Amino acid sequence: MNDALHKSAFLGPKGENLDELEQLLLEVLRDHVFWRRNFHPSDPRLIGERDKRSEAFSAMTAQMRDELFQILSELKRAAPLYSPRQVAHIVSDPTLPALIGYFAGLLYNQNNVVEEVSPETVREERAYFTALAQMVGYPEFLPETLPPKARARRRPFSWGHLCSGGTVANLEALWMARNVRLYPLAVRLVGETHADFAHMARMKVQTAQGDSAQLDALSTFALSNLPIPEITDLHLRIKTQLAEADRATAQAFQEAIPSVRTAGLASFLLSYNETFPNDPARLPKVLISQAAHYCWKKNLDVVGLGADALETIPTDDRIRMDMEALADRVRTHAENQQPVLSVVSICGTTEEGAVDPLHQIEAFREEAAAHGLTFWHHCDAAFGGYFASMLPKNDDGTIVPYNEVDDDALTGSNALVDAEIYNGIAAMSKADSITTDPHKFGYIPYPAGAVLFRDYHLRDAISYAAPYLADDDRSGFGGFLGQWTLEGSRPGAAAVSCYLSQAMVPLTPEGHGQLMKNCIAVNQALVEAMHTRFSDTSWIELHPLAEPDTVGYCFVLMPRSGFDTIAALNEYTERIWKRMTVDGREDINQYDFLVSKTEVEARAYEHVLRGVLPDTLVANAVDTDASLTLLRTCIMNPFLTDWAEHDPPFQTQLAAFLHEAALDEHLRDALPAGPLSDDERLHVAVVEPEPDAPGSLAEQLQTPERGTTHLSVTARHPESNHPAAIWGGYDAVVLTAEILDTLALAATIEHAQAAGTPVFVCAEAGTAPEQHADVRRLTYGEALHWIAHDTPEQRVHDLLARLYALQEQAAVGATG
């Protein structure tokens, strides 16, 4: 695999690979029809040629074409997700094999609820998850059939499946974590209330601290903190006992155990607390960073814990979970005997693509266990799970440590990811469960989510095939899959799409990992271009929320004149965003670039915003309980790598467009409404070597519409012997950077400044004052206003913004 992998793996922004897609789709369709025709070929044809010539048939066909063409026309008003100009959302073009595989799967209309109905698509789903498990560093994925005595020997296999998306994947992980963590309480309860099973509550278990004790001798809080492998062992020991007993005993236990699955959470806790009134159970908490996706509150509602059970942990200034805050919260809960069901880490926050320190969470989990505290670690990697494809693996499947990686692009001096990000991604391999979305950075069509579990034994906690009565204990990834999945019907087309895509673009550093590295590299180039465009000399300031970890970038643009309130800033940001968002326009060519927006609550993020915005704005936002609106980009299109090598590159064009949009929106507020009389216009003297030449600066400043309506320009030669008093009659003097070494210019600048007339220097975009030795040499250099733009319109807009701001300051000073 190489850097050009994406050129054969996608249709292309201009449909460059149309011929290949067209031929393969036709091949798929013909092959499918051939299969239909040759299944019992002697069966009668049920659609005859006479039928096709009937009036009703023709009318139906015509109507279908009309409706289809209408829909195709309307679909073109949607966001052009295939275009590199779309950097708004976490969605891009699916790969060619993903499209072809999905189309093939649709024709066969398989349902992966049970292997009998869809044997091939179930096998393809398992093959894809085998690759996913290897990508994240999980144990070997569950085979189709378990080897002999696999359960008795606790053979480590991972488990997972496709679902509709990240919300359902997170819900399923939460559902399983709830059932697993409450299982010891259910065993204690059944032993207390059913004499026939009292011996089960006397089973020995090992606590988080390594002590051995009878289950019924432990407190509710201690049972709520049993290590997850110990809970799994407890379940398997009980299952083995019941397998050796008669079927009636197993049936009786199945009916007697008051699990949360059968009784419901409220009923289960009521029964438990009535039985153990002096040692009651409490609803557990789920801890996640404040950058969590909104689905988590919904999911806690669905599993019966309630949205209030979700507690958010502050982030640091990189929008990663603050480990000190997490440790403090867990210790506080321990002191109050408040169980923690799960800590949820995030690999790729929705806004920023930030990566929580998963490796530190795992280290803290070990530390907490020594004090008798445990939690289920789930990683919400719906956004960033596929970043694991960048990480090289050892022969045994483990991830190569950061300091041993032989990839300068990934971890070298100009590393794409630093050690914290790398180690965070690598530590997904230690999490109990992972959510990732093939329909995001897997480049698979919607809907396609994925949930992975490190230990397949855990699936008994959500099984709906009576786990204590199972006749076949060797069922692997096959048979009736619906017994272990939240969703029953699941499209086989998604499995074919995933399988074929990873067969062509493997989930390895040389394959899919190259796409991820390219996207991160382009994002870094964009960040650099933004800082260059919005330099210290720019009238529009760039205020990033944080330095990005991967491919997301959130920021605020603000004129140097600033805003008095957060509401005014948000309104300004909204106007910029509306110029760069889909609004149903008929002509999609009107979209220059597409970006998105997001919000952060000022009170929750005050510690971050103090380093982003002026203190007065942050204080205003906190006092008014407001949120800050941010502009957001997400680099996901693999072809941005190619555009970044063109002149001008993608990142430069996007930065320039954002600057012009921000400046233009500022001028809508700052400039007086026209038309203006000559006396009302700003009078500007342009000093340049050839003021009358075509394309002169004086001509450029009068070309754009706002230059015509708001400026009155007079051209002057730098060597003319102008009287000193003449410069006081202008609102501004404008020079070109090329004449800064002209000795006669010194007197002009000194006289203008003495008269209180500001002096501006026009230079090429990206040029900084310190690049000009002449500016450093001249004593008046620091007093010059620098305008670095390429186009006349940009120069006029910047000049107007600065001049009206200076006039406003002067007016305030005069009345102050």
Side-chain angles (χ1 to χ4, degrees):
M1 300 295 176
N2 53 49
D3 290 348
L5 169 68
H6 60 284
K7 294 190 177 181
S8 60
F10 291 85
L11 176 58
K14 301 295 185 183
E16 293 89 339
N17 290 323
L18 169 64
D19 290 346
E20 186 68 14
L21 176 61
E22 192 172 54
Q23 290 171 18
L24 288 171
L25 289 178
L26 184 59
E27 185 68 29
V28 168
L29 181 59
R30 285 175 171 170
D31 182 76
H32 178 76
V33 172
F34 179 83
W35 178 65
R36 289 188 178 211
R37 288 176 177 173
N38 286 275
F39 182 71
H40 291 281
S42 61
D43 286 351
R45 292 186 64 188
L46 302 179
I47 303 175
E49 293 303 315
R50 289 176 181 263
D51 296 324
K52 293 181 181 180
R53 294 192 181 100
S54 70
E55 184 177 341
F57 190 100
S58 297
M60 181 71 173
T61 302
Q63 182 183 359
M64 180 171 63
R65 285 176 173 274
D66 288 342
E67 293 292 341
L68 173 62
F69 294 147
Q70 181 62 33
I71 290 171
L72 291 176
S73 174
E74 292 170 353
L75 283 172
K76 291 176 178 60
R77 291 204 295 267
L81 302 177
Y82 55 83
S83 172
R85 290 179 176 271
Q86 190 281 124
V87 290
H89 303 288
I90 317 170
V91 60
S92 187
D93 239 6
T95 66
L96 265 180
L99 286 171
I100 295 162
Y102 210 97
F103 178 67
L106 284 174
L107 291 176
Y108 290 85
N109 197 29
Q110 302 290 279
N111 181 357
N112 278 24
V113 67
V114 61
E115 189 176 24
E116 176 188 355
V117 176
S118 48
E120 287 305 321
T121 54
V122 165
R123 278 193 279 273
E124 285 156 1
E125 182 175 355
R126 182 172 64 82
Y128 186 70
F129 272 80
T130 298
L132 270 184
Q134 292 171 350
M135 180 186 79
V136 300
Y138 261 14
E140 178 186 353
F141 192 73
L142 192 65
E144 185 175 355
T145 303
L146 287 171
K149 299 183 180 179
R151 283 184 178 271
R153 295 174 181 169
R154 281 301 308 272
R155 176 75 179 272
F157 289 116
S158 54
W159 148 259
H161 60 85
L162 289 170
C163 55
S164 60
T167 296
V168 170
N170 284 331
L171 174 59
E172 192 161 323
L174 184 61
W175 177 34
M176 187 177 287
R178 183 200 68 175
N179 291 0
V180 169
R181 300 279 280 163
L182 291 176
Y183 182 76
L185 276 63
V187 175
R188 182 189 187 192
L189 181 56
V190 75
E192 183 72 18
T193 56
H194 292 76
D196 292 344
F197 304 115
H199 64 285
M200 292 183 176
R202 293 193 293 272
M203 283 184 166
K204 292 279 189 177
V205 292
Q206 194 170 62
T207 67
Q209 294 167 298
D211 301 323
S212 179
Q214 280 189 190
L215 186 147
D216 60 1
L218 295 174
S219 68
T220 296
F221 186 71
L223 291 174
S224 299
N225 280 283
L226 286 183
I228 292 162
E230 188 64 23
I231 299 172
T232 307
D233 283 338
L234 173 65
H235 163 67
L236 292 177
R237 282 186 286 151
I238 292 175
K239 190 169 184 176
T240 300
Q241 281 191 19
L242 294 173
E244 295 170 352
D246 58 83
R247 188 173 180 83
T249 301
Q251 179 71 46
F253 182 82
Q254 180 76 32
E255 295 173 356
I257 187 166
S259 71
V260 66
R261 294 172 47 205
T262 54
L265 184 58
S267 179
F268 171 75
L269 291 178
L270 178 64
S271 178
Y272 185 92
N273 291 343
E274 286 177 346
T275 306
F276 304 103
N278 296 323
D279 187 23
R282 301 173 64 181
L283 279 174
K285 300 292 186 179
V286 174
L287 310 183
I288 193 170
S289 98
Q290 64 186 116
H293 189 267
Y294 67 89
C295 76
W296 278 99
K297 285 189 176 182
K298 294 193 295 185
N299 286 346
L300 264 83
D301 178 6
V302 171
V303 298
L305 295 172
D308 287 347
L310 184 70
E311 293 187 354
T312 56
I313 306 299
T315 65
D316 61 17
D317 58 5
R318 294 288 294 272
I319 320 301
R320 304 168 182 168
M321 183 183 286
D322 186 317
M323 285 305 302
E324 288 188 12
L326 173 65
D328 288 344
R329 187 73 59 86
V330 171
R331 292 183 188 117
T332 298
H333 284 325
E335 292 171 2
N336 297 325
Q337 299 282 287
Q338 169 63 59
V340 174
L341 176 73
S342 175
V343 171
V344 179
S345 60
I346 305 174
C347 182
T349 56
T350 305
E351 282 77 19
E352 275 278 327
V355 178
D356 280 344
L358 277 76
H359 54 303
Q360 295 183 41
I361 292 173
E362 281 298 320
F364 173 67
R365 182 153 70 152
E366 292 183 10
E367 175 191 328
H371 295 86
L373 308 173
T374 66
F375 52 81
W376 178 290
H377 180 191
H378 174 70
C379 179
D380 184 353
F383 183 114
Y386 286 88
F387 293 135
S389 65
M390 301 185 298
L391 277 49
K393 311 295 190 299
N394 294 308
D395 292 340
D396 62 358
T398 58
I399 296 172
V400 176
Y402 181 82
N403 58 1
E404 297 177 16
V405 174
D406 185 19
D407 183 346
D408 288 340
L410 184 63
T411 60
S413 56
N414 296 315
L416 291 174
V417 295
D418 60 26
E420 281 296 296
I421 300 170
Y422 185 100
N423 292 331
I425 297 171
M428 275 197 289
S429 62
K430 304 298 183 184
D432 297 299
S433 53
I434 301 171
T435 286
T436 194
D437 272 352
H439 62 214
K440 289 189 175 74
F441 277 95
Y443 298 104
I444 302 298
Y446 281 89
V451 60
L452 275 162
F453 298 94
R454 204 171 192 281
D455 185 350
Y456 81 99
H457 294 94
L458 297 170
R459 65 183 185 166
D460 276 353
I462 57 172
S463 171
Y464 270 82
Y468 301 106
L469 301 174
D471 294 321
D472 182 8
D473 203 32
R474 292 184 58 200
S475 182
F477 195 93
F480 176 37
L481 292 176
Q483 64 183 299
W484 296 299
T485 64
L486 179 61
E487 296 166 304
S489 298
R490 296 181 303 113
V496 181
S497 180
C498 288
Y499 170 78
L500 191 58
S501 185
Q502 71 84 27
M504 298 297 99
V505 187
L507 303 179
T508 62
E510 300 76 24
H512 204 98
Q514 192 62 52
L515 302 181
M516 301 296 93
K517 287 189 282 188
N518 288 348
C519 288
I520 294 175
V522 171
N523 194 53
Q524 291 180 352
L526 173 60
V527 171
E528 183 178 351
M530 291 286 285
H531 281 285
T532 299
R533 174 74 277 181
F534 297 90
S535 64
D536 292 341
T537 62
S538 171
W539 180 252
I540 303 297
E541 298 175 334
L542 172 67
H543 297 266
L545 179 64
E547 179 184 346
D549 283 355
T550 54
V551 297
Y553 190 42
C554 292
F555 54 91
V556 170
L557 302 178
M558 185 164 60
R560 291 188 179 276
S561 52
F563 292 98
D564 294 330
T565 66
I566 200 71
L569 173 58
N570 286 344
E571 192 270 336
Y572 172 70
T573 304
E574 286 274 346
R575 296 202 324 255
I576 298 172
W577 170 73
K578 285 180 180 178
R579 299 172 67 143
M580 306 179 74
T581 189
V582 173
D583 55 12
R585 303 173 207 177
E586 289 287 344
D587 182 6
I588 64 170
N589 287 310
Q590 295 179 16
Y591 300 121
D592 289 282
F593 290 95
L594 297 176
V595 302
S596 57
K597 64 171 182 173
T598 188
E599 293 181 351
V600 294
E601 296 178 0
R603 287 183 178 173
Y605 281 86
E606 181 178 1
H607 61 294
V608 177
L609 297 182
R610 288 291 178 189
V612 176
L613 298 176
D615 288 345
T616 53
L617 269 183
V618 177
N620 174 259
V622 171
D623 291 344
T624 57
D625 196 20
S627 293
L628 172 67
T629 302
L630 297 152
L631 296 172
R632 172 179 171 272
T633 60
C634 179
I635 302 300
M636 187 174 174
N637 192 304
F639 290 92
L640 285 169
T641 305
D642 304 288
W643 193 359
E645 296 175 356
H646 283 250
D647 187 21
F650 153 77
Q651 61 270 18
T652 301
Q653 290 194 49
L654 176 55
F657 184 85
L658 279 163
H659 184 280
E660 181 58 21
L663 188 56
D664 187 56
E665 289 299 333
H666 167 64
L667 291 177
R668 291 176 185 272
D669 296 330
L671 298 188
L676 302 180
S677 66
D678 186 63
D679 290 339
E680 292 174 319
R681 294 178 188 177
L682 296 174
H683 292 258
V684 176
V686 176
V687 182
E688 55 185 326
E690 299 181 18
D692 298 325
S696 66
L697 179 60
E699 182 181 298
Q700 290 183 38
L701 294 183
Q702 296 177 88
T703 302
E705 180 182 354
R706 284 189 172 126
T708 303
T709 58
H710 289 79
L711 293 179
S712 179
V713 178
T714 302
R716 299 285 184 182
H717 195 279
E719 297 178 0
S720 298
N721 187 21
H722 301 298
I726 194 174
W727 304 112
Y730 292 103
D731 295 295
V733 174
V734 181
L735 319 172
T736 61
E738 291 77 14
I739 64 169
L740 285 177
D741 60 349
T742 305
L743 294 178
L745 200 63
T748 299
I749 294 175
E750 290 172 2
H751 293 156
Q753 291 177 344
T757 304
V759 180
F760 294 83
V761 177
C762 281
E764 298 298 319
T767 304
E770 58 269 19
Q771 293 176 263
H772 284 257
D774 303 310
V775 174
R776 293 195 300 270
R777 179 173 56 81
L778 296 174
T779 57
Y780 53 75
E782 293 182 1
L784 301 179
H785 302 276
W786 206 263
I787 299 178
H789 296 289
D790 288 332
T791 69
E793 186 172 48
Q794 291 171 345
R795 290 174 173 175
V796 166
H797 287 181
D798 200 327
L799 177 63
L800 286 170
R802 293 171 189 270
L803 282 175
Y804 277 102
L806 289 172
Q807 287 198 343
E808 185 176 344
Q809 291 173 7
V812 171
T815 58

